[in-house]
RNA sequence: GCCCGCCUGGCGGAAUGGUAGACGCAGCGGACUUAAAAUCCGCAGUCCUUUGGGCGUGCCGGUUCGAGUCCGGCGGCGGGCACCA
């Protein structure tokens, strides 16, 4: 390498600047600041401490850091914290597989990941760091839970769980594979357990209506949440049994289509419905059918291909509006969890009902006439009609519109006292009990005389015992020799601790609030949370669009109800990033290969780095361990530096889309860091003296480029168009290179020094280390990290010449240069005189002349 | 099946209804070099009869002086979903 080419030594520079930021506490903020600055809370979804960061983390935390650094430069007091979502199953799996204690495994992972994150140069206030598995955090969570319990927001309820009968353990959905337990391979059963639920459904109306106020959320996330909450209007009604069965003399049904009651042909109940159980007691065939429904998993793939099946009970119900009798079936497509677990079937106007009716030869009676169809022509083939229309075959409803009929039917049901109009919600209460060790203990005690008794607050945190074993299936807390045996805090009698722990979604439902006062001896400090909440910009993956965000919205409302916070909504702005993808590779034996095992030969073919064997290049897809198409961020940072990794991940494409990680792209980004460094290095540091009174020629051009770039980059950062900000900085680098060739022009030294100073500040959110390195060379006061964002000089943004497009009949025929806001007559004369335009207009009659100031001229010609 | 999103050069992408393809990657040409790497400069949608013209933002139509952008329909790709009564 030539000695005279300056090179940027990121290996020395990056740790140096990180240490400088650290020693000056650049990113530290107070719980309740008194600096009078406007606040800005930037948060990225905190990571699960798996042990290594992956490219998704790099993308997530780079995006957040750009926002944090930019807002800081704009004069905000920015809180940008980091923590660890540290409870969860992988730690228990590690314990079972490798004999490591989950706590040890987790804390080691945290240490490793913290070191990796720090190498990225993130502007994080590390003093706020916490892990959810720390008793200092989960003890506060236990307090929150007790306050919710007192407020009636938590209660015990029976609910269904996936049960592995061989391992005698509850399985998470992800542990059920094709209906079998992932370890034992046993067919999973559904089992009823008494569990803690949080009453999120109490807030269903508000969680839905408040979505409209979340203006800075992606539309599709709001839509997904709205669909998940699932408000529907309909009727709840009961059908009398023709012959009562034991206790059951009627069946309760929810319907959104009471208007189609006259088209009813059957009634169907879920396999878990009490009537199904009753029938199954006496009828082995029914019992077999019910068992068959129950053994089937609930995974989507199964449901997709599921054929609609039913079992006729031989019983009948009476339709209260028509007086007709209809058969009662047990059907596999009826969900016990939704509505009342029973429905009435109107095959003419519902696809599932129609499929079912065709299969079992049930009646299909149309009752809604589509607009424009004669009643005589109305027929149902294999498609139902589910649109609006006029009622037919419907007694007193005949002739009404479907809308009117809906109201009239409900009115009649109410008059008869057999039903009423209701609003129904799809959202279900949140079951938070998990039969696991590595989670936050639920702080209650079960006493035979007193029932459920809260653990006294003075005894919190209720710690997990460390001395647990994972040598047998089930919950180690349950097996622990002493932990669960306590005396009742109320009566003193022998009692048992709750051995369930919380769903880890509970941990992540309030961590953003805890960051405001992470060391407090109470869950939240009002002054601190009321200052910082809501989070101004939350950034994370779309995969959390529903559960995490909805639970957090609920939790914040619950905390508001118990007086812990003022805000109802946790996240004012939400940005959902795309995935990081990569090509995948297989060798000729079909074994997946890591990118570093593969290289591109001269002819472009991909071959194995060591064997030289051909490699099959597969799809570009989300990085995953199983496909081995992962790239280790640590290795990238070691080879190219954090700034390069950050720059590339921002430059490739808009951040909401999936990006493809490519070696070529990283190399390109690396080259740019070097180029920019050289361009800055080539500007003499000699004092440029007083600012010249005026600039002409290349110096003026450079200054205009610099100030236009300020505007362009600012706009791009404000709108999350980071790839555009990068592109504008590439352009600016080209302008700097241009200026280098005109270095001897008057005013140039001053202009170049100004330009480099502007460049350093504009790149600083994206490449903070390089920004410092460049800036330091000119002896600028202080760190770029503490410097204000540059302001564009309006005088330099004024354009003195605009190029107008001249069109003839909408087609470009030439361009003309004029002063801004040139009067119409003058512009039109110039445009018509442009040689090529002149040619296009020759012999034609112009019927209209369009002039949009500073934009365009268009001549419209007569004739065809 | 339902809901949502997307579709622009070889590739990633840019473009308040106003010169489509900024910027980058890959490519090509040149300078420098004994040579290579690195670097620097330049070219580059496509076709043709090339001082110019035709075509061109998935396809078909519409609105407009003017459409990648707005509207209607169709197709393809991707994502979400708990068969939601």
């Amino acid at each position: 390498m030539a000695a005279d080419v300056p090179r940027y030594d990121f290996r020395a520079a990056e740790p140096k600047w990180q240490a400088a930021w650290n020693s000056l506490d650049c990113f530290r903020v107070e719980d309740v600041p008194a600096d009078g600055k406007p606040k800005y809370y930037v948060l990225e979804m905190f990571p699960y401490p798996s042990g290594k960061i992956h490219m998704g983390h790099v993308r997530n935390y780079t995006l957040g850091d750009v926002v944090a650094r930019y807002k800081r430069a704009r004069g905000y007091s920015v809180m940008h914290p980091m923590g660890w979502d540290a409870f969860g199953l992988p730690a228990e799996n590690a314990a079972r597989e490798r004999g490591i204690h989950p706590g040890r495994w987790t804390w080691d992972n945290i240490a490793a990941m913290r070191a990796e994150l720090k190498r990225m140069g993130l502007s994080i206030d590390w003093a706020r760091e916490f892990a959810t598995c720390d008793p200092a955090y989960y003890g506060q969570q236990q307090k929150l839970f007790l306050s919710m319990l007192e407020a009636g927001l938590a209660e015990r309820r029976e609910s269904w769980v996936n049960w592995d009968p061989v391992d005698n353990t509850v399985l998470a959905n992800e542990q059920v594979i094709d209906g079998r337990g992932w370890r034992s391979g046993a067919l999973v059963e559904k089992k009823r357990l008494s569990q803690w639920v949080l009453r999120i459904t109490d807030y269903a109306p508000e969680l839905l209506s408040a979505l409209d106020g979340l203006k800075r959320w992606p539309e599709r996330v709001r839509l997904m949440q709205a669909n998940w909450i699932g408000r529907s209007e309909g009727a709840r009604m009961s059908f009398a049994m023709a012959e009562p069965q034991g206790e059951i003399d009627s069946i309760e049904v929810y319907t959104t289509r009471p208007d189609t009651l006259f088209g009813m042909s059957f009634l169907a109940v879920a396999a878990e419905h009490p009537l199904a159980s009753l029938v199954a007691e006496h009828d082995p065939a029914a019992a077999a059918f019910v068992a068959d429904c129950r053994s089937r998993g609930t995974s989507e793939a199964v449901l997709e291909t599921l054929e609609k099946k039913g079992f006729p009970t031989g019983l009948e119900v009476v339709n209260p509006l028509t007086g007709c009798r209809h058969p009662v079936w047990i059907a596999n497509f009826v969900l016990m969890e939704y509505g009342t677990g029973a429905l009435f079937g109107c095959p003419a106007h519902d696809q599932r009902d129609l499929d079912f009716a065709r299969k079992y030869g049930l009646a299909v009676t149309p009752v809604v006439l589509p607009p424009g169809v004669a009643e005589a022509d109305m027929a149902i083939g294999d498609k139902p009609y589910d649109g609006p229309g006029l009622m037919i075959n419907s007694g007193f409803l005949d002739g009404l519109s479907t809308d009117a009929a809906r109201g009239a039917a409900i009115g009649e049901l109410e008059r008869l006292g057999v039903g009423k109009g209701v609003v129904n919600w799809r959202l279900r209460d949140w079951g938070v009990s998990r039969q696991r060790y590595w989670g936050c203990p639920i702080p209650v005690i079960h006493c035979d005389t007193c029932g459920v008794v809260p653990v006294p607050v003075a005894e919190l945190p209720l710690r997990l015992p460390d001395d647990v074993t994972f040598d047998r299936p089930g919950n180690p807390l349950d097996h622990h020799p002493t932990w669960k045996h306590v005396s009742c805090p109320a009566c003193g009698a022998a009692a048992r601790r709750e051995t369930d722990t919380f769903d880890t979604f509970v941990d992540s439902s309030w961590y953003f609030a805890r960051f405001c006062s992470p060391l407090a001896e109470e869950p939240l400090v009002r002054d601190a949370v009321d200052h910082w909440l809501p989070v101004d910009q939350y950034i994370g993956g779309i995969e959390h669009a529903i559960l995490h965000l909805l639970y957090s919205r609920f939790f914040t409302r619950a905390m508001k109800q118990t007086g812990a916070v003022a805000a109802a909504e946790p996240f004012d702005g939400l940005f959902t990033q795309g995935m990081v993808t990569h090509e995948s590779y297989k060798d000729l034996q079909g074994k997946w290969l890591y990118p570093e095992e593969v290289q591109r030969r001269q002819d472009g073919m991909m071959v194995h780095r060591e064997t030289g064997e051909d490699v099959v290049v597969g799809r570009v897809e989300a990085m995953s361990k199983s496909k081995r198409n992962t790239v280790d961020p640590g290795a990238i940072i070691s080879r190219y530096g954090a700034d390069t990794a950050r720059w590339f991940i921002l430059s490739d494409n808009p951040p909401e889309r999936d990006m493809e990680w490519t070696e070529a792209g990283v190399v390109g980004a690396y080259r740019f860091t070097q180029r920019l460094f050289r361009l800055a290095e080539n500007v003499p540091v000699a004092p440029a003296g007083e600012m010249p009174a005026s600039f002409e020629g290349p110096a003026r051009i450079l200054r205009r480029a610099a100030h236009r770039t300020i505007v362009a980059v600012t706009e791009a950062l404000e709108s999350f168009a980071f790839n555009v900000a990068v592109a504008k900085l590439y352009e600016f680098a080209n302008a700097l290179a241009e200026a280098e060739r005109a270095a001897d022009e008057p005013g140039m030294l001053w202009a170049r020094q100004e330009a480099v100073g502007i460049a350093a500040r504009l790149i600083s959110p994206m490449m903070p280390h390089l920004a410092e390195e460049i800036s330091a060379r000119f002896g600028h006061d202080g760190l770029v990290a503490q410097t204000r964002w540059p302001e564009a000089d309006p005088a330099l943004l004024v354009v003195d010449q605009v190029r107008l497009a001249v069109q003839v009949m909408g087609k470009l025929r030439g361009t003309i240069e004029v002063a801004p806001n040139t009067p119409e007559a003058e512009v039109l004369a110039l445009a018509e005189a442009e040689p090529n335009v002149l040619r296009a207009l020759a012999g034609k009659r112009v019927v209209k002349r369009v002039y949009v100031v500073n934009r365009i001229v268009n001549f419209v010609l007569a004739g065809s």
Side-chain angles (χ1 to χ4, degrees), chain A residues 167 288 368 385 603 625 694 810:
Chain A
D167 272 356
V368 179
Y385 176 71
D603 60 3
K625 279 183 193 144
S694 69

Side-chain angles (χ1 to χ4, degrees), chain A residues 140-155 196-199 202-203 430 432 502 506 509-510 551-552 554-562 564:
Chain A
Q140 302 302 330
Q141 182 164 306
Q142 291 165 340
K143 284 187 205 166
L144 280 178
F145 173 75
L146 292 182
S147 65
M148 287 186 195
L149 185 60
E150 197 173 273
L153 285 163
E155 64 185 42
W196 286 99
V197 298
L198 296 181
R199 298 177 50 109
D202 287 1
Y203 282 97
W430 176 15
V432 293
F502 282 121
V506 175
S509 290
W510 70 287
Y551 290 153
S552 296
F554 158 66
F555 227 79
T556 307
R557 282 173 170 77
M559 291 190 296
K560 185 182 179 190
Q561 184 181 328
T562 61

Side-chain angles (χ1 to χ4, degrees), chain A residues 418-478:
Chain A
V418 294
K420 59 179 180 179
V422 293
V423 171
N424 195 53
W425 302 87
R426 182 174 170 277
L427 183 69
R428 302 200 282 253
D429 275 327
W430 176 15
V432 293
S433 293
R434 297 291 182 270
Q435 293 69 37
R436 323 230 157 257
Y437 167 71
W438 195 235
C440 169
I442 299 176
V444 296
I445 289 164
H446 299 279
C447 170
D448 288 336
T449 39
C450 309
V452 172
V453 182
V455 171
V457 173
E459 290 176 23
L460 299 182
L462 168 59
R463 289 166 181 270
L464 285 170
D466 285 331
D467 53 337
V468 285
T469 53
F470 293 89
D471 50 3
R472 55 180 164 148
N475 182 355
L477 288 181
D478 212 22

Side-chain angles (χ1 to χ4, degrees), chain A residues 517-638:
Chain A
S517 52
L519 303 175
E521 296 289 332
E522 55 205 300
L524 303 176
V525 174
R526 275 301 295 259
D527 285 352
V529 282
D530 290 351
H531 176 77
W532 288 108
L533 287 186
V535 173
D536 295 280
Q537 187 62 61
Y538 196 38
I539 306 172
I542 188 77
E543 66 273 20
H544 294 297
I546 297 175
L547 292 183
H548 163 58
L549 293 170
L550 193 62
Y551 290 153
S552 296
R553 295 181 63 219
F554 158 66
F555 227 79
T556 307
R557 282 173 170 77
M559 291 190 296
K560 185 182 179 190
Q561 184 181 328
T562 61
V565 296
E569 284 293 339
F571 312 120
D572 191 49
L574 173 69
F575 187 88
T576 51
Q577 69 189 63
M579 291 183 301
V580 182
T581 65
H582 197 282
E583 271 184 340
S584 52
Y585 309 102
K586 274 184 186 173
D587 66 14
L588 296 176
Q589 288 74 50
K591 201 183 96 190
W592 296 102
L593 298 173
Y594 288 106
E596 59 261 39
E597 297 178 285
V598 170
Q599 77 186 134
R600 190 178 297 273
R601 227 167 40 195
Q602 283 286 306
D603 60 3
M605 292 294 293
M606 300 301 281
V607 294
H608 195 283
R609 196 173 283 277
E610 275 149 30
T611 65
E613 197 177 77
D614 281 359
V615 165
V616 182
V617 177
R619 302 183 351 144
V620 172
E621 52 192 317
M623 287 189 179
S624 77
K625 279 183 193 144
S626 61
K627 304 273 171 66
R628 297 199 165 181
N629 61 338
T630 55
V631 174
D632 172 29
I636 294 294
I637 292 172
S638 296

Side-chain angles (χ1 to χ4, degrees), chain A residues 94 262 301 433 745 751 785:
Chain A
F262 283 81
S433 293
E745 297 284 335

Side-chain angles (χ1 to χ4, degrees), chain A residues 7 89 158 230 278 311 331 347 421 559 568 657 677 696 719 772:
Chain A
R7 279 188 76 82
L89 269 178
E158 292 241 308
L278 194 68
F311 181 89
M559 291 190 296
R657 294 194 210 167
F677 178 77
E696 299 301 329
S719 57
E772 300 288 1

